[in-house]
mmCIF file of all heavy atoms in Angstrom:
data_model
loop_
_atom_site.group_PDB
_atom_site.id
_atom_site.type_symbol
_atom_site.label_atom_id
_atom_site.label_comp_id
_atom_site.label_asym_id
_atom_site.label_seq_id
_atom_site.Cartn_x
_atom_site.Cartn_y
_atom_site.Cartn_z
ATOM 1 N N SER A 30 6.424 0.561 -1.154
ATOM 2 C CA SER A 30 6.870 -0.811 -1.118
ATOM 3 C C SER A 30 6.720 -1.293 0.307
ATOM 4 O O SER A 30 7.507 -0.878 1.206
ATOM 5 C CB SER A 30 8.374 -0.836 -1.514
ATOM 6 O OG SER A 30 8.893 -2.080 -1.322
ATOM 7 N N THR A 31 5.762 -2.175 0.551
ATOM 8 C CA THR A 31 5.431 -2.483 1.978
ATOM 9 C C THR A 31 6.155 -3.738 2.494
ATOM 10 O O THR A 31 6.544 -4.615 1.733
ATOM 11 C CB THR A 31 3.856 -2.758 2.066
ATOM 12 O OG1 THR A 31 3.514 -3.875 1.240
ATOM 13 C CG2 THR A 31 3.116 -1.538 1.625
ATOM 14 N N SER A 32 6.255 -3.749 3.837
ATOM 15 C CA SER A 32 7.105 -4.783 4.494
ATOM 16 C C SER A 32 6.326 -5.823 5.219
ATOM 17 O O SER A 32 6.835 -6.918 5.486
ATOM 18 C CB SER A 32 8.064 -4.115 5.450
ATOM 19 O OG SER A 32 7.365 -3.385 6.477
ATOM 20 N N ASP A 33 5.080 -5.564 5.599
ATOM 21 C CA ASP A 33 4.306 -6.592 6.317
ATOM 22 C C ASP A 33 2.781 -6.409 6.116
ATOM 23 O O ASP A 33 2.349 -5.505 5.432
ATOM 24 C CB ASP A 33 4.742 -6.640 7.791
ATOM 25 C CG ASP A 33 3.950 -5.578 8.666
ATOM 26 O OD1 ASP A 33 3.524 -4.566 8.151
ATOM 27 O OD2 ASP A 33 3.854 -5.857 9.874
ATOM 28 N N ASP A 34 2.025 -7.238 6.820
ATOM 29 C CA ASP A 34 0.615 -7.250 6.705
ATOM 30 C C ASP A 34 -0.013 -5.909 7.185
ATOM 31 O O ASP A 34 -0.866 -5.295 6.462
ATOM 32 C CB ASP A 34 0.046 -8.425 7.604
ATOM 33 C CG ASP A 34 -1.448 -8.395 7.730
ATOM 34 O OD1 ASP A 34 -2.143 -8.551 6.731
ATOM 35 O OD2 ASP A 34 -1.906 -8.166 8.864
ATOM 36 N N THR A 35 0.393 -5.451 8.369
ATOM 37 C CA THR A 35 -0.151 -4.208 8.913
ATOM 38 C C THR A 35 0.079 -3.056 7.979
ATOM 39 O O THR A 35 -0.811 -2.207 7.708
ATOM 40 C CB THR A 35 0.439 -3.953 10.283
ATOM 41 O OG1 THR A 35 0.249 -5.090 11.132
ATOM 42 C CG2 THR A 35 -0.181 -2.712 10.959
ATOM 43 N N GLN A 36 1.307 -2.942 7.532
ATOM 44 C CA GLN A 36 1.672 -1.795 6.666
ATOM 45 C C GLN A 36 0.973 -1.875 5.304
ATOM 46 O O GLN A 36 0.577 -0.805 4.760
ATOM 47 C CB GLN A 36 3.181 -1.791 6.490
ATOM 48 C CG GLN A 36 3.768 -0.526 5.917
ATOM 49 C CD GLN A 36 5.286 -0.598 5.770
ATOM 50 O OE1 GLN A 36 5.825 -1.098 4.838
ATOM 51 N NE2 GLN A 36 5.955 -0.079 6.825
ATOM 52 N N THR A 37 0.773 -3.042 4.812
ATOM 53 C CA THR A 37 0.120 -3.201 3.505
ATOM 54 C C THR A 37 -1.363 -2.728 3.576
ATOM 55 O O THR A 37 -1.842 -2.025 2.640
ATOM 56 C CB THR A 37 0.165 -4.639 2.975
ATOM 57 O OG1 THR A 37 1.575 -5.025 2.876
ATOM 58 C CG2 THR A 37 -0.495 -4.778 1.615
ATOM 59 N N ARG A 38 -2.018 -3.143 4.670
ATOM 60 C CA ARG A 38 -3.431 -2.744 4.800
ATOM 61 C C ARG A 38 -3.557 -1.213 4.903
ATOM 62 O O ARG A 38 -4.454 -0.624 4.352
ATOM 63 C CB ARG A 38 -4.046 -3.455 6.033
ATOM 64 C CG ARG A 38 -4.305 -4.910 5.696
ATOM 65 C CD ARG A 38 -5.064 -5.641 6.832
ATOM 66 N NE ARG A 38 -4.159 -6.088 7.867
ATOM 67 C CZ ARG A 38 -4.137 -5.595 9.136
ATOM 68 N NH1 ARG A 38 -4.970 -4.549 9.440
ATOM 69 N NH2 ARG A 38 -3.326 -6.029 10.014
ATOM 70 N N TRP A 39 -2.616 -0.609 5.646
ATOM 71 C CA TRP A 39 -2.532 0.823 5.722
ATOM 72 C C TRP A 39 -2.343 1.491 4.331
ATOM 73 O O TRP A 39 -2.953 2.413 3.951
ATOM 74 C CB TRP A 39 -1.446 1.291 6.666
ATOM 75 C CG TRP A 39 -1.042 2.684 6.428
ATOM 76 C CD1 TRP A 39 -1.668 3.862 6.805
ATOM 77 C CD2 TRP A 39 0.115 3.165 5.663
ATOM 78 N NE1 TRP A 39 -0.994 4.980 6.368
ATOM 79 C CE2 TRP A 39 0.064 4.589 5.699
ATOM 80 C CE3 TRP A 39 1.126 2.482 4.983
ATOM 81 C CZ2 TRP A 39 1.111 5.294 4.982
ATOM 82 C CZ3 TRP A 39 2.133 3.261 4.346
ATOM 83 C CH2 TRP A 39 2.074 4.588 4.334
ATOM 84 N N ALA A 40 -1.383 0.891 3.606
ATOM 85 C CA ALA A 40 -0.965 1.477 2.328
ATOM 86 C C ALA A 40 -2.138 1.451 1.271
ATOM 87 O O ALA A 40 -2.319 2.390 0.525
ATOM 88 C CB ALA A 40 0.249 0.699 1.760
ATOM 89 N N ILE A 41 -2.897 0.386 1.296
ATOM 90 C CA ILE A 41 -4.028 0.265 0.385
ATOM 91 C C ILE A 41 -5.093 1.312 0.670
ATOM 92 O O ILE A 41 -5.636 1.991 -0.237
ATOM 93 C CB ILE A 41 -4.624 -1.097 0.372
ATOM 94 C CG1 ILE A 41 -3.514 -2.165 -0.075
ATOM 95 C CG2 ILE A 41 -5.772 -1.189 -0.581
ATOM 96 C CD1 ILE A 41 -2.759 -1.830 -1.343
ATOM 97 N N GLU A 42 -5.371 1.500 1.929
ATOM 98 C CA GLU A 42 -6.336 2.477 2.349
ATOM 99 C C GLU A 42 -5.776 3.929 2.015
ATOM 100 O O GLU A 42 -6.558 4.767 1.452
ATOM 101 C CB GLU A 42 -6.610 2.442 3.842
ATOM 102 C CG GLU A 42 -7.694 3.411 4.221
ATOM 103 C CD GLU A 42 -8.152 3.244 5.677
ATOM 104 O OE1 GLU A 42 -7.800 2.232 6.306
ATOM 105 O OE2 GLU A 42 -8.927 4.100 6.201
ATOM 106 N N GLU A 43 -4.531 4.140 2.251
ATOM 107 C CA GLU A 43 -3.909 5.475 1.991
ATOM 108 C C GLU A 43 -3.917 5.728 0.476
ATOM 109 O O GLU A 43 -4.155 6.864 0.020
ATOM 110 C CB GLU A 43 -2.512 5.479 2.525
ATOM 111 C CG GLU A 43 -1.955 6.885 2.682
ATOM 112 C CD GLU A 43 -2.708 7.754 3.693
ATOM 113 O OE1 GLU A 43 -3.282 7.211 4.612
ATOM 114 O OE2 GLU A 43 -2.648 8.979 3.507
ATOM 115 N N ALA A 44 -3.635 4.702 -0.338
ATOM 116 C CA ALA A 44 -3.571 4.864 -1.765
ATOM 117 C C ALA A 44 -4.948 5.328 -2.294
ATOM 118 O O ALA A 44 -5.033 6.154 -3.231
ATOM 119 C CB ALA A 44 -3.171 3.551 -2.406
ATOM 120 N N SER A 45 -6.026 4.841 -1.675
ATOM 121 C CA SER A 45 -7.362 5.225 -2.142
ATOM 122 C C SER A 45 -7.703 6.672 -1.886
ATOM 123 O O SER A 45 -8.530 7.260 -2.526
ATOM 124 C CB SER A 45 -8.406 4.326 -1.415
ATOM 125 O OG SER A 45 -8.561 4.627 -0.080
ATOM 126 N N LYS A 46 -6.950 7.268 -0.913
ATOM 127 C CA LYS A 46 -7.225 8.685 -0.575
ATOM 128 C C LYS A 46 -6.392 9.618 -1.426
ATOM 129 O O LYS A 46 -6.752 10.826 -1.478
ATOM 130 C CB LYS A 46 -6.853 8.903 0.903
ATOM 131 C CG LYS A 46 -7.673 8.088 1.887
ATOM 132 C CD LYS A 46 -7.161 8.235 3.284
ATOM 133 C CE LYS A 46 -7.863 7.401 4.280
ATOM 134 N NZ LYS A 46 -7.248 7.438 5.617
ATOM 135 N N ILE A 47 -5.277 9.164 -1.988
ATOM 136 C CA ILE A 47 -4.408 10.055 -2.789
ATOM 137 C C ILE A 47 -5.025 10.292 -4.137
ATOM 138 O O ILE A 47 -5.468 9.325 -4.790
ATOM 139 C CB ILE A 47 -3.058 9.377 -2.934
ATOM 140 C CG1 ILE A 47 -2.314 9.256 -1.638
ATOM 141 C CG2 ILE A 47 -2.153 10.187 -3.957
ATOM 142 C CD1 ILE A 47 -1.034 8.400 -1.693
ATOM 143 N N GLU A 48 -5.093 11.531 -4.504
ATOM 144 C CA GLU A 48 -5.667 11.862 -5.844
ATOM 145 C C GLU A 48 -4.499 11.804 -6.890
ATOM 146 O O GLU A 48 -3.680 12.719 -6.942
ATOM 147 C CB GLU A 48 -6.294 13.263 -5.842
ATOM 148 C CG GLU A 48 -7.034 13.620 -7.081
ATOM 149 C CD GLU A 48 -8.247 12.724 -7.394
ATOM 150 O OE1 GLU A 48 -8.931 12.303 -6.398
ATOM 151 O OE2 GLU A 48 -8.513 12.477 -8.581
ATOM 152 N N GLY A 49 -4.440 10.767 -7.646
ATOM 153 C CA GLY A 49 -3.400 10.640 -8.627
ATOM 154 C C GLY A 49 -2.835 9.247 -8.657
ATOM 155 O O GLY A 49 -3.225 8.349 -7.834
ATOM 156 N N PRO A 50 -1.859 8.959 -9.491
ATOM 157 C CA PRO A 50 -1.279 7.583 -9.637
ATOM 158 C C PRO A 50 -0.558 7.123 -8.455
ATOM 159 O O PRO A 50 0.231 7.914 -7.870
ATOM 160 C CB PRO A 50 -0.346 7.793 -10.870
ATOM 161 C CG PRO A 50 -0.750 9.083 -11.551
ATOM 162 C CD PRO A 50 -1.263 9.936 -10.488
ATOM 163 N N VAL A 51 -0.671 5.866 -8.131
ATOM 164 C CA VAL A 51 0.103 5.192 -7.058
ATOM 165 C C VAL A 51 0.523 3.858 -7.558
ATOM 166 O O VAL A 51 -0.195 3.111 -8.163
ATOM 167 C CB VAL A 51 -0.756 5.061 -5.791
ATOM 168 C CG1 VAL A 51 0.084 4.398 -4.683
ATOM 169 C CG2 VAL A 51 -1.316 6.416 -5.281
ATOM 170 N N TYR A 52 1.799 3.518 -7.246
ATOM 171 C CA TYR A 52 2.331 2.185 -7.549
ATOM 172 C C TYR A 52 2.664 1.534 -6.202
ATOM 173 O O TYR A 52 3.385 2.122 -5.370
ATOM 174 C CB TYR A 52 3.593 2.258 -8.349
ATOM 175 C CG TYR A 52 4.194 0.898 -8.674
ATOM 176 C CD1 TYR A 52 3.655 0.090 -9.721
ATOM 177 C CD2 TYR A 52 5.305 0.351 -7.991
ATOM 178 C CE1 TYR A 52 4.208 -1.127 -10.044
ATOM 179 C CE2 TYR A 52 5.812 -0.855 -8.307
ATOM 180 C CZ TYR A 52 5.270 -1.643 -9.301
ATOM 181 O OH TYR A 52 5.821 -2.830 -9.629
ATOM 182 N N VAL A 53 2.065 0.372 -5.886
ATOM 183 C CA VAL A 53 2.273 -0.377 -4.653
ATOM 184 C C VAL A 53 2.930 -1.653 -5.043
ATOM 185 O O VAL A 53 2.420 -2.460 -5.832
ATOM 186 C CB VAL A 53 0.958 -0.624 -3.874
ATOM 187 C CG1 VAL A 53 1.308 -1.331 -2.578
ATOM 188 C CG2 VAL A 53 0.260 0.696 -3.590
ATOM 189 N N ARG A 54 4.147 -1.868 -4.467
ATOM 190 C CA ARG A 54 4.933 -3.069 -4.769
ATOM 191 C C ARG A 54 4.659 -4.142 -3.633
ATOM 192 O O ARG A 54 4.826 -3.880 -2.490
ATOM 193 C CB ARG A 54 6.393 -2.747 -4.792
ATOM 194 C CG ARG A 54 7.323 -3.878 -5.242
ATOM 195 C CD ARG A 54 8.798 -3.382 -5.179
ATOM 196 N NE ARG A 54 9.619 -4.067 -6.181
ATOM 197 C CZ ARG A 54 10.618 -4.869 -5.909
ATOM 198 N NH1 ARG A 54 10.946 -5.109 -4.636
ATOM 199 N NH2 ARG A 54 11.349 -5.429 -6.818
ATOM 200 N N LEU A 55 4.224 -5.341 -4.122
ATOM 201 C CA LEU A 55 3.828 -6.420 -3.200
ATOM 202 C C LEU A 55 4.566 -7.682 -3.531
ATOM 203 O O LEU A 55 5.037 -7.857 -4.651
ATOM 204 C CB LEU A 55 2.369 -6.668 -3.283
ATOM 205 C CG LEU A 55 1.479 -5.429 -3.039
ATOM 206 C CD1 LEU A 55 0.059 -5.667 -3.501
ATOM 207 C CD2 LEU A 55 1.467 -5.101 -1.490
ATOM 208 N N ALA A 56 4.757 -8.539 -2.510
ATOM 209 C CA ALA A 56 5.567 -9.723 -2.692
ATOM 210 C C ALA A 56 4.775 -11.010 -2.754
ATOM 211 O O ALA A 56 3.633 -11.045 -2.258
ATOM 212 C CB ALA A 56 6.559 -9.835 -1.527
ATOM 213 N N ARG A 57 5.357 -12.016 -3.308
ATOM 214 C CA ARG A 57 4.781 -13.360 -3.299
ATOM 215 C C ARG A 57 5.043 -14.051 -1.969
ATOM 216 O O ARG A 57 4.184 -14.764 -1.410
ATOM 217 C CB ARG A 57 5.361 -14.172 -4.424
ATOM 218 C CG ARG A 57 4.946 -15.650 -4.454
ATOM 219 C CD ARG A 57 5.764 -16.438 -5.454
ATOM 220 N NE ARG A 57 5.194 -17.774 -5.684
ATOM 221 C CZ ARG A 57 5.731 -18.643 -6.470
ATOM 222 N NH1 ARG A 57 6.808 -18.350 -7.133
ATOM 223 N NH2 ARG A 57 5.184 -19.850 -6.597
#
């Protein structure tokens, strides 16, 4: 569950490296 722009960009890249299901919560 990300808090800002920098962290979200990191999280998406990190999610691509994890082998298995990932849920990323994003805000409007």
Side-chain angles (χ1 to χ4, degrees):
S30 172
T31 62
S32 61
D33 86 334
D34 171 66
T35 306
Q36 194 177 84
T37 301
R38 286 187 278 111
W39 159 79
I41 300 311
E42 183 172 352
E43 197 64 28
S45 72
K46 299 174 185 175
I47 295 171
E48 187 64 35
V51 180
Y52 181 81
V53 182
R54 188 182 210 242
L55 302 164
R57 175 189 190 182

